[in-house]
Amino acid sequence: MSNYPTLFRSGSDLLHDPLLNKGTAFSEQERDALSLRGLLPPRVLSQDEQMLRVLRNLREKSSDLDKYVSLIALQDRNEILFYRAILDHLEEMMPIIYTPTVGLACQEYGQIFRRPRGIFISANDKGHVARILANWPLKEVRVIVVTDGERILGLGDLGANGMGIPVGKLSLYTACAGIHPSACLPVTIDVGTDNEKLLKDPLYIGLQHKRIRGEAYDALIDEFVEAVQRLFPQALIQFEDFANHNAFKLLNKYRHGVRTFNDDIQGTAAVALSGIYSSLRITGKSLTDQRLLFFGAGEAGTGIAGLVIRALVAEGMPEADARKRCWFLDSKGLVVKSRTDLTGHKLAFAQDAAPTADILSVIDTFRPTALIGASGKPGTFTESILRKMTEINERPVIFALSNPTSQAECTAEEAYRLTGGRAVFASGSPFRPVLFEGQTFTPGQGNNAYIFPGVGLGVVVSGSRLVPDEMFLAAARTLADALTQEELEAGRIYPPLTRIREVSTRIALATAEIAYDLGLATVPKPDNLPAVIKAAMFDPVYKSFV
Ligand code: NAI
């Protein structure tokens, strides 16, 4: 998948190339052959010995933000050691390199900024985007994650500080699915920010004016997408953390002609649908028995409902009936047809019901089997709501997906305690296991990292021209099927992150199969697709240079 290293480097240049640098692990022979003698302390350390230092330094840090800074610094020095650390300690590292700590890192990006990573395209670059992309030194780009920073996690507009998100997501592509780091390109399109605090911050790294919108914005994104097609024709473009008006618009504009998807809409949908499939393995019910009440009719909520509806239709339910299984509450109450304030993506989910903001009465009428929280508003799953769900369901499904942890609709502890331990619970950001009445409950983390890296790998290996919803449906099923009986019995609805590479490999296979079945693949189908997928995955171990 990657031809890196393509350049021969030696001496100080080699030590300063994070994709090649092994630091004190360069052997005696390598030190002689590569003019490294004297540039390193005399003792040769193994990768395991280096790891001791990494872990000890990291665990001594008292704040998660300090841990984030320390890990990014390692990524800037020695990517192989960085990915070894992530992969071998995923449950410890993931909350640092991704949500929730990455949210904090984005908020403090100006303060913690050390060295740039990725490509920054600004509104001032109109007409020159291709030239800027050509400055990226690596030409074998396969995955681009791009944001405009307008809706970072549940934290709102963080402008150019949002770069932490593409950087973090691409680290997960490499850690979880083995996309080679040299094939990953983080991009931030800085069109300004409406965040007054950032505009006044002397350390803010982005353009110091309000967001440009309308035609000028659309033209800049068009120029970016076209330039990517020309410079990196094999690249997958993942749109990430755009505000919902742009997210839906851009997805609908490009999805039929460009190798692209929106993770907040489609990746979230797949991970949540997979959680629902797993909950059915626990409750013994079928998907067609489900009624879902969504809090939040944005990218995440309507994306999930769209995929649930596809899954119901695939099980033989007429689409009109499937739509009646997904009700939405937004900041103004129940999403119903008589409302005049609904935008396009919400209209498709409006029900024929009376307008109301009384959630308990909605629960009485609709009798949901599951609550899906994607509102970005903490505390919205109140005690009375959780108790009511327990009255009408033996095992209420409660997904508090808003990120970071501080924004979750309820905590894991609340979900278990207020349902008497009967909730099948998942959150977007991690919660620790909860001890309730002598029993330990392991909350599921509906982390998109279960889905997008595997889908991306399947797209890259097959060279799929597009990323259709069928791939996310297949990914959701594959993820739920990957759960073992023992894991289910332990109350898990997602496999432990320690199995992420195995899971991603299965999802990549399912995704690539869809590309071949739908005639979207541009790479001829090999006889041994599973082996080809495994061989394409980057393994963070040092290779000998001599
Ligand atoms: P969005 O801005 O597109 O939508 C938010 C929606 O919540 C809007 O429809 C708004 O009207 C509604 N809302 C606001 N206050 C509400 C309230 N009190 N009650 C009910 N609805 C309310 O945002 P998006 O992209 O849908 O993300 C929402 C949240 O979901 C964020 O916190 C995000 O981090 C999280 N998310 C979680 C994922 C995961 O767990 N895997 C993946 C993607 C997003």
Side-chain angles (χ1 to χ4, degrees):
M1 190 192 305
S2 165
N3 295 333
Y4 204 87
T6 48
L7 303 171
F8 181 73
R9 293 192 199 281
S10 62
S12 173
D13 281 353
L14 180 57
L15 296 181
H16 288 95
D17 183 337
L19 284 165
L20 301 177
N21 179 30
K22 302 198 272 184
T24 50
F26 279 111
S27 67
E28 300 287 359
Q29 294 88 330
E30 285 171 324
R31 291 171 188 222
D32 283 333
L34 300 165
S35 312
L36 293 170
R37 201 50 82 195
L39 298 180
L40 291 162
R43 188 174 151 211
V44 176
L45 273 76
S46 67
Q47 198 182 38
D48 287 348
E49 287 165 327
Q50 289 181 315
M51 189 61 66
L52 275 181
R53 184 190 297 127
V54 169
L55 293 177
R56 194 173 295 172
N57 276 328
L58 201 68
R59 287 170 185 163
E60 270 173 7
K61 307 249 177 295
S62 54
S63 86
D64 286 343
L65 191 59
D66 286 343
K67 290 182 187 186
Y68 175 89
V69 171
S70 166
L71 275 175
I72 294 293
L74 175 62
Q75 188 178 20
D76 285 340
R77 290 194 306 274
N78 179 337
E79 294 217 26
I80 294 179
L81 191 58
F82 168 80
Y83 282 112
R84 185 83 266 152
I86 304 294
L87 201 49
D88 289 353
H89 305 274
L90 208 52
E91 293 195 327
E92 177 181 356
M93 305 291 177
M94 189 104 109
I96 300 171
I97 60 162
Y98 208 65
T99 181
T101 310
V102 74
L104 193 58
C106 287
Q107 287 174 309
E108 304 291 331
Y109 218 65
Q111 176 75 34
I112 64 174
F113 185 79
R114 299 284 194 281
R115 130 203 297 251
R117 177 171 279 270
I119 286 277
F120 289 88
I121 294 166
S122 91
N124 298 338
D125 298 323
K126 176 93 195 61
H128 309 288
V129 173
R131 210 176 67 208
I132 288 169
L133 282 176
N135 286 341
W136 186 246
L138 304 164
K139 304 303 171 197
E140 303 274 332
V141 174
R142 293 290 187 279
V143 185
I144 291 173
V145 177
V146 58
T147 190
D148 73 354
E150 191 171 4
R151 199 242 56 194
I152 295 300
L153 305 172
L155 300 169
D157 182 353
L158 296 183
N161 285 2
M163 183 54 124
I165 297 294
V167 168
K169 283 256 155 152
L170 285 162
S171 299
L172 297 184
Y173 265 105
T174 302
C176 303
I179 304 280
H180 196 281
S182 67
C184 296
L185 172 56
V187 175
T188 285
I189 300 186
D190 179 4
V191 295
T193 178
D194 292 345
N195 183 327
E196 292 295 338
K197 200 170 151 220
L198 290 179
L199 289 173
K200 288 187 195 128
D201 180 353
L203 296 181
Y204 177 55
I205 59 170
L207 294 181
Q208 290 173 295
H209 59 63
K210 294 258 186 196
R211 283 184 177 270
I212 60 156
R213 300 193 181 273
E215 276 175 30
Y217 175 90
D218 293 347
L220 188 65
I221 306 285
D222 266 346
E223 190 185 338
F224 163 71
V225 172
E226 277 163 28
V228 168
Q229 308 300 297
R230 260 188 296 135
L231 274 106
F232 308 118
Q234 291 169 294
L236 162 69
I237 308 175
Q238 173 174 327
F239 281 83
E240 188 68 40
D241 284 3
F242 284 69
N244 78 34
H245 48 280
N246 286 323
F248 288 108
K249 188 176 75 182
L250 298 173
L251 178 62
N252 292 331
K253 184 171 186 180
Y254 299 121
R255 67 187 303 173
H256 303 295
V258 176
R259 186 183 290 119
T260 188
F261 73 99
N262 180 303
D263 188 53
D264 304 300
I265 300 172
Q266 295 161 288
T268 308
V271 80
L273 176 60
S274 165
I276 292 165
Y277 280 137
S278 301
S279 73
L280 300 177
R281 288 180 65 187
I282 294 173
T283 59
K285 297 256 167 62
S286 76
L287 187 65
T288 49
D289 297 328
Q290 302 309 300
R291 285 181 304 281
L292 277 51
L293 179 57
F294 291 84
F295 284 56
E299 293 167 59
T302 60
I304 297 167
L307 202 64
V308 168
I309 290 166
R310 282 195 84 119
L312 284 167
V313 169
E315 296 205 6
M317 192 182 276
E319 185 176 331
D321 293 347
R323 288 195 173 274
K324 291 183 189 146
R325 299 305 184 89
C326 297
W327 283 31
F328 280 89
L329 289 158
D330 68 5
S331 55
K332 306 212 175 69
L334 194 60
V335 174
V336 292
K337 287 192 176 146
S338 55
R339 273 176 54 178
T340 51
D341 60 330
L342 298 179
T343 47
H345 68 278
K346 289 188 189 181
L347 268 177
F349 297 96
Q351 299 292 334
D352 256 328
T356 176
D358 177 355
I359 299 171
L360 292 178
S361 82
V362 171
I363 295 179
D364 270 332
T365 318
F366 180 49
R367 301 187 73 75
T369 52
L371 295 185
I372 314 285
S375 62
K377 292 285 177 297
T380 38
F381 292 171
T382 59
E383 174 164 356
S384 46
I385 289 174
L386 291 171
R387 291 205 188 279
K388 181 120 221 138
M389 284 298 286
T390 319
E391 271 167 45
I392 60 174
N393 292 289
E394 181 56 35
R395 300 293 309 270
V397 173
I398 309 292
F399 289 178
L401 297 179
S402 289
N403 294 319
T405 318
S406 60
Q407 308 304 106
E409 283 74 9
C410 67
T411 65
E413 191 274 333
E414 287 163 345
Y416 293 118
R417 180 169 50 81
L418 298 171
T419 62
R422 278 154 51 191
V424 178
F425 177 78
S427 55
S429 296
F431 279 103
R432 289 182 194 290
V434 173
L435 185 65
F436 174 72
E437 292 186 348
Q439 203 182 335
T440 301
F441 294 86
T442 308
Q445 189 194 350
N447 193 325
N448 294 26
Y450 282 116
I451 299 286
F452 68 81
V455 170
L457 179 60
V459 167
V460 166
V461 167
S462 63
S464 184
R465 287 185 288 107
L466 304 173
V467 192
D469 273 343
E470 283 85 345
M471 290 181 175
F472 293 97
L473 213 47
R477 283 212 190 91
T478 306
L479 177 57
D481 290 347
L483 210 59
T484 65
Q485 199 52 40
E486 297 75 59
E487 287 162 355
L488 271 177
E489 277 159 19
R492 284 185 174 274
I493 59 168
Y494 296 105
L497 285 171
T498 44
R499 294 214 286 122
I500 192 81
R501 278 228 165 176
E502 175 214 326
V503 170
S504 296
T505 311
R506 290 168 71 161
I507 292 178
L509 181 60
T511 304
E513 292 285 8
I514 300 271
Y516 288 109
D517 289 351
L518 298 182
L520 294 171
T522 57
V523 174
K525 187 171 184 180
D527 297 333
N528 51 350
L529 188 54
V532 168
I533 287 173
K534 279 208 179 105
M537 292 168 79
F538 163 74
D539 190 15
V541 290
Y542 292 141
K543 305 218 166 33
S544 175
F545 285 71
V546 292

